Amino acid sequence: MRIGGGGSHRSFSETAIFVTKCVRRGSGNTLTYIKETTLAGLFYNAAMSGTSHILVVDDHREIRELVSRALAKDGFRVSTAADGKAMRKALADSRIDLVLLDLMLPGEDGLALCRSLRAQSNIPVIMLTAKGDEVDRVIGLEIGADDYLSKPFGSRELIARIKAVLRRTQETVAATRGEPRAKRYRFDRWGLDTGARELLREDGVTVPLSTGEYDLLITLVERPQRMLSRDQLLDLTRGRTANALDRSVDTQVSRLRKKLERDPADPKIIKTVWGGGYMFTPTVQHE
């Protein structure tokens, strides 16, 4: 099947056949489709938490859906975004292993987004381009894209390219990531030193943190005043080792509250968003 060709936009007969095969496939994994919002449509399979997470950025809904189903069928976790704003939110909310980025996007185009992403991260990027845009493909590769694919393209070729880039970049990413630079944060009556991994109270007392508590706290501190679901917190703190049925987030939140809050029974720092998740409410200052 070809994805991104003119025919796929005018006729959905091929799409309908493909969707039927995906939904009725005889495997042990069950796809759960979550309605797409203006921020990001998520196609999440609970049994696939140990696989690579791909972010598909394309302003054409039918292409996002086709690519998402093709990747999910092959065992990938997939998130989608229609523009740069949604892409940034998805990158902030989840651990993304590769970005599939369309060149022609409303607002910021793919080249600008690739340049911005490469300045902040070494996440691999595959550019999707219209056939014949050789100059743009060259520019994309020069500013940091790892590969490009011309539309229309087949799902098999797309998956092969993604796997090749992931294999090729895995060791490079691990080698260049190194130790993150130490940071210091201040919030409420607390200070957090990431170099020493210490939580300091305003009176100078050091409060010990377990690894799980520290990972959760740094995730919250770096995303203040934002509601994060339990699934997002699991993904951000534990990545591929997270289990979809894992309730350890609630346990870690409870432990952190006992250490951070003046009254753990009436939390002001880590608030529960009923039916949603948790929000870190204080203003955070970087030192």
Side-chain angles (χ1 to χ4, degrees):
M1 182 188 67
R2 306 292 288 176
I3 298 173
S8 66
H9 300 299
R10 292 191 293 268
S11 171
F12 289 90
S13 59
E14 192 175 37
T15 303
I17 294 173
F18 182 72
V19 171
T20 301
K21 288 183 179 178
C22 281
V23 174
R24 296 179 182 175
R25 62 193 169 87
S27 71
N29 295 325
T30 302
L31 284 172
T32 301
Y33 295 102
I34 302 172
K35 184 177 180 181
E36 183 173 20
T37 67
T38 56
L39 292 176
L42 300 180
F43 294 79
Y44 180 71
N45 179 349
M48 293 180 185
S49 60
T51 62
S52 297
H53 192 171
I54 311 300
L55 175 61
V56 180
V57 185
D58 196 300
D59 60 324
H60 291 283
R61 179 186 294 271
E62 60 268 34
I63 293 180
R64 294 197 303 271
E65 292 177 348
L66 282 169
V67 170
S68 296
R69 288 183 173 92
L71 295 179
K73 184 179 181 181
D74 204 73
F76 290 100
R77 293 175 56 199
V78 187
S79 295
T80 68
D83 53 30
K85 181 179 178 180
M87 182 190 88
R88 290 189 175 93
K89 182 178 186 304
L91 289 168
D93 289 349
S94 304
R95 291 193 180 191
I96 301 298
D97 296 299
L98 183 144
V99 177
L100 196 62
L101 180 60
D102 186 34
L103 179 65
M104 301 300 294
L105 291 171
E108 291 182 271
D109 64 18
L111 291 176
L113 290 172
C114 182
R115 184 182 294 107
S116 175
L117 178 61
R118 189 51 68 237
Q120 305 170 34
S121 170
N122 51 18
I123 297 174
V125 176
I126 296 179
M127 301 287 294
L128 300 181
T129 70
K131 195 169 185 178
D133 292 339
E134 182 177 356
V135 173
D136 288 332
R137 290 200 298 270
V138 171
I139 294 174
L141 293 172
E142 288 180 344
I143 64 176
D146 296 89
D147 200 355
Y148 69 87
L149 193 59
S150 297
K151 296 179 181 178
F153 51 84
S155 57
R156 290 184 178 180
E157 181 183 7
L158 170 63
I159 291 169
R161 293 288 189 100
I162 288 174
K163 290 180 177 179
V165 169
L166 288 173
R167 285 195 303 268
R168 190 167 65 241
T169 59
Q170 185 175 14
E171 292 183 1
T172 302
V173 169
T176 58
R177 182 174 294 159
E179 290 295 325
R181 187 169 57 183
K183 297 179 182 178
R184 293 183 179 181
Y185 301 94
R186 295 200 65 82
F187 58 91
D188 195 71
R189 59 192 178 115
W190 298 96
L192 180 64
D193 186 339
T194 64
R197 295 173 69 92
E198 288 183 343
L199 178 65
L200 302 171
R201 204 164 58 203
E202 60 185 355
D203 58 5
V205 174
T206 300
V207 178
L209 295 173
S210 68
T211 299
E213 291 165 354
Y214 174 82
D215 289 345
L216 177 60
L217 180 58
I218 193 65
T219 296
L220 293 168
V221 165
E222 291 178 344
R223 298 164 180 83
Q225 289 95 51
R226 290 181 53 191
M227 193 282 289
L228 296 172
S229 70
R230 290 177 177 84
D231 285 343
Q232 287 174 327
L233 288 171
L234 272 175
D235 192 42
L236 290 165
T237 56
R238 296 178 58 190
R240 298 179 186 181
T241 64
N243 184 298
L245 301 178
D246 197 332
R247 305 301 293 177
S248 63
V249 166
D250 298 320
T251 301
Q252 300 294 358
V253 167
S254 178
R255 291 176 178 172
L256 271 181
R257 282 173 171 168
K258 291 178 181 179
K259 296 180 177 182
L260 294 174
E261 305 281 0
R262 297 179 188 274
D263 179 7
D266 183 25
K268 304 296 184 183
I269 296 177
I270 305 176
K271 288 194 172 183
T272 300
V273 180
W274 298 111
Y278 297 100
M279 180 181 293
F280 192 78
T281 61
T283 299
V284 177
Q285 297 178 333
H286 296 239
E287 294 183 352

